Amino acid sequence: SDFIERCPAYKMIHIIEPDQSNYQNIEQKFINNPKVQVHNVGVSNANQTLRFSSQGISSRFCEDGENEAVLR
């Protein structure tokens, strides 16, 4: 939101967030801003689904993770 305040002439912001809980929080924060699109995916060089574990503000990919991320 600092960027939005400092650069009000921006055209579009895309936020990539694979963690469902974080995604929902971010989406709610920007729900009334059509120039912000939140995507519940991860980014990779291949289409795949991986498991990951969330640890507070960080996460890591692991086979026994409690979450899944769709990577595109």
Side-chain angles (χ1 to χ4, degrees):
S1 72
D2 285 343
F3 174 82
I4 291 171
E5 291 174 15
R6 293 179 186 185
C7 304
Y10 71 95
K11 294 188 184 223
M12 181 67 70
I13 296 173
H14 292 272
I15 300 173
I16 309 298
E17 178 53 62
D19 182 274
Q20 183 67 29
S21 178
N22 289 339
Y23 164 77
Q24 290 173 343
N25 290 336
I26 295 167
E27 188 177 52
Q28 282 300 308
K29 182 174 183 173
F30 295 106
I31 197 163
N32 293 319
N33 189 334
K35 291 171 50 175
V36 176
Q37 291 186 4
V38 186
H39 307 276
N40 190 207
V41 297
V43 178
S44 175
N45 63 345
N47 289 339
Q48 57 186 315
T49 300
L50 296 177
R51 298 197 67 72
F52 68 97
S53 177
S54 295
Q55 305 289 325
I57 62 169
S58 66
S59 60
R60 65 182 175 85
F61 288 108
C62 58
E63 290 183 20
D64 61 342
E66 67 275 6
N67 302 300
E68 282 190 352
V70 176
L71 303 178
R72 303 202 174 167

